[in-house]
Amino acid sequence: MAVSSKNTLHSPAVVFLLGAISATAVLVFFFTATAGPAWPTAATEGASQAVARSASAPAPKASSPTNATGGDDDDAFARMLRRAAMEDRTVIMTSVNEAWAAEGSLLDSFLESFRVGLNISHLVKHIVVVAMDEGALRRCRAVHPHCHLLLPDVDGLDLSGAKSYMTKDYLDLVWSKLRLQHRVLLLGYNLLFTDVDVAWFRDPRVHITAAADITTSSDFYFGDPDDLGNYPNTGFIYFKATARNARAMAYWHAARARFPDNHDQFVFNEIKRELAAPPIGVRIRFVDSAHVSGFCQLGRDLNRIATVHMTCCIGLENKLHDLRRVVEDWRRYVSRPEWERRAGKIGWRFDGGKCIH
């Protein structure tokens, strides 16, 4: 029996449908294979050479911001971010341990700088203070509305004391905060992280450009904000809430395995060109130290200063001594008539300082 040609040939509609189904399957496979930023697992952190070749690591289970429980703690942290966030979904974050949060210590001077600064007192309500131990949490709650407890990555680690610079406890303390910062980005919030030994006097956000993915302060700034030869200080750093930045932060944390005896800032400086290159490809911009300043390269003109960081200064007592003096100098500056301030003759006091120079 002859078979009709209608049964041996597909209609154009059937051919189109089969092609669409095939294309969809390819796309699903592609996006599944390349999906989203993932925090590196313990295995990937140990594989330093693999980290250098890859922009992301296998996806782990969602972790609690306290590194301990999950569920309710994650929800509580998300609610805190919603309360603290600005209209553009930016959150300011700092971190303290018990020694830094104690009465009369760095946290008090940090918050005081917002009160004496020019038109920035309203920013305090947008600050989330990350407490690294129970003592810091109790003290934070006594003076500030947004406090979150972050348990360290290392079980049993006591982060409450004044840690000596570059000791193992110090390194564990500074690295512990990166996981929480990563979570902030995944929740869709822009992050402006500031160390607690930074005095804020003007709004530094005017020096952050939307064209960059990451904006960081500089220990040493050489004149070009896009020059990766500038030396970053990640104690004041801004991340836009993007998947690319979340991948960059995960890559940064994983790179610790390649530089096991160094702090997060050293590692960021070592890998900044890797972060800026494909496949991550973030744009990193450096702020002029004349505006967002620190003791390593201190801005002398108080008419231009936005923040001052106690950089190139080791020891809690030394930092606290000079932070208080900087705040006092600022009070003296704003108390003078405008014409005198504009003349630029009111500056920092250097005599008697521990680190300021």
Side-chain angles (χ1 to χ4, degrees):
M1 178 183 297
V3 180
S4 170
S5 62
K6 290 182 180 180
N7 294 329
T8 60
L9 298 175
H10 295 299
S11 71
V14 173
V15 173
F16 174 83
L17 181 59
L18 290 173
I21 292 172
S22 300
T24 301
V26 171
L27 288 174
V28 168
F29 173 80
F30 174 80
F31 283 114
T32 302
T34 60
W39 196 259
T41 64
T44 60
E45 289 183 0
S48 60
Q49 296 303 318
V51 168
R53 295 190 300 266
S54 175
S56 61
K61 296 180 181 179
S63 62
S64 164
T66 62
N67 297 337
T69 54
D72 292 342
D73 290 314
D74 281 348
D75 292 341
F77 182 63
R79 290 194 298 270
M80 180 178 294
L81 292 180
R82 284 197 296 272
R83 293 194 301 271
M86 305 176 196
E87 290 184 1
D88 66 350
R89 295 181 65 83
T90 296
V91 174
I92 302 171
M93 179 177 284
T94 193
S95 59
V96 295
N97 63 7
E98 187 172 7
W100 300 345
E103 185 173 358
S105 193
L106 293 175
L107 180 60
D108 285 352
S109 293
F110 171 74
L111 294 174
E112 182 186 5
S113 72
F114 285 85
R115 293 190 290 270
V116 302
L118 296 179
N119 302 315
I120 60 170
S121 60
H122 66 283
L123 294 178
V124 171
K125 65 185 179 185
H126 302 298
I127 300 172
V128 171
V129 178
V130 177
M132 308 298 290
D133 56 77
E134 295 283 356
L137 181 66
R138 288 192 296 271
R139 169 63 180 154
C140 177
R141 286 175 171 170
V143 298
H144 190 67
H146 307 308
C147 305
H148 177 75
L149 177 63
L150 174 67
L151 298 181
D153 290 340
V154 180
D155 291 339
L157 180 64
D158 179 11
L159 298 180
S160 61
K163 304 302 177 186
S164 298
Y165 183 67
M166 293 305 295
T167 61
K168 184 179 184 302
D169 282 358
Y170 172 88
L171 293 175
D172 287 332
L173 186 154
V174 298
W175 279 103
S176 289
K177 65 191 179 187
L178 275 187
R179 287 186 184 270
L180 190 63
Q181 294 174 5
H182 181 256
R183 174 137 180 79
V184 173
L185 298 184
L186 292 182
L187 287 170
Y189 294 93
N190 308 310
L191 173 66
L192 203 176
F193 180 84
T194 171
D195 279 345
V196 75
D197 62 336
V198 177
W200 286 50
F201 297 129
R202 291 185 177 91
D203 191 343
R205 293 176 301 157
V206 300
H207 304 294
I208 296 173
T209 174
D213 298 292
I214 301 171
T215 302
T216 179
S217 61
S218 312
D219 270 349
F220 297 100
Y221 178 79
F222 301 117
D224 180 358
D226 296 308
D227 180 8
L228 291 175
N230 294 313
Y231 284 84
N233 188 296
T234 57
F236 183 99
I237 191 166
Y238 173 83
F239 289 87
K240 286 196 300 189
T242 64
R244 181 165 51 194
N245 267 346
R247 285 192 293 272
M249 190 173 286
Y251 185 91
W252 179 13
H253 190 280
R256 182 186 185 186
R258 294 156 55 193
F259 309 94
D261 298 323
N262 288 283
H263 54 71
D264 56 337
Q265 179 176 302
F266 174 90
V267 175
F268 183 88
N269 187 57
E270 290 295 309
I271 68 169
K272 60 191 176 185
R273 288 179 172 82
E274 298 171 27
L275 295 175
I280 299 179
V282 294
R283 180 183 177 188
I284 303 172
R285 191 173 177 89
F286 299 81
V287 184
D288 191 335
S289 59
H291 303 295
V292 176
S293 197
F295 286 171
C296 292
Q297 190 180 44
L298 183 61
R300 264 39 178 185
D301 187 354
L302 272 66
N303 292 314
R304 302 175 64 191
I305 287 289
T307 64
V308 179
H309 193 175
M310 309 300 107
T311 53
C312 293
C313 189
I314 299 174
L316 175 59
E317 290 186 4
N318 292 334
K319 286 178 177 287
L320 185 56
H321 178 274
D322 279 7
L323 180 57
R324 288 170 176 167
R325 283 171 57 92
V326 164
V327 173
E328 290 173 5
D329 287 348
W330 179 263
R331 286 183 180 275
R332 180 170 55 90
Y333 165 78
V334 296
S335 70
R336 306 307 300 167
E338 185 175 353
W339 66 265
E340 190 174 350
R341 297 201 303 266
R342 287 175 177 260
K345 296 183 179 180
I346 306 172
W348 309 115
R349 293 172 299 157
F350 297 99
D351 294 340
K354 299 291 186 181
C355 301
I356 190 171
H357 60 277

